[in-house]
Amino acid sequence: MQIMVILICLLAPLGILWLTYKSTVLRKVESIIIAYVICCTLGLTGLIPDTEEMHGVQTAVASAAIPFAIPLLLFF
């Protein structure tokens, strides 16, 4: 289950960006809105269980993403 959550956290943004690049309708909606909808759907339907183990995985993924995000915000 942990590997599935990590893959979702890493591959979902890539899929969203690819979909917005290919579809003119989704390009108008913006990728951040699509990401919020997908994350809310995953969280509210229970596909990602709300356990301490999953909180640790989500925290680790978020902590690893920060060093990548800061240079992208500053230089792009």
Side-chain angles (χ1 to χ4, degrees):
M1 188 61 148
Q2 292 177 349
I3 294 173
M4 185 183 85
V5 172
I6 292 171
L7 287 176
I8 288 172
C9 290
L10 296 177
L11 296 178
L14 293 174
I16 291 168
L17 290 175
W18 182 77
L19 285 173
T20 55
Y21 178 74
K22 293 290 183 180
S23 172
T24 57
V25 173
L26 293 178
R27 194 175 303 142
K28 291 178 184 177
V29 175
E30 295 289 329
S31 59
I32 194 70
I33 304 287
I34 298 167
Y36 279 132
V37 168
I38 290 173
C39 291
C40 288
T41 303
L42 286 175
L44 293 174
T45 58
L47 291 175
I48 297 177
D50 191 23
T51 62
E52 289 297 322
E53 182 180 356
M54 287 301 128
H55 287 289
V57 171
Q58 292 169 343
T59 302
V61 170
S63 297
I66 289 172
F68 292 109
I70 291 174
L72 290 173
L73 288 171
L74 293 175
F75 300 114
F76 287 105

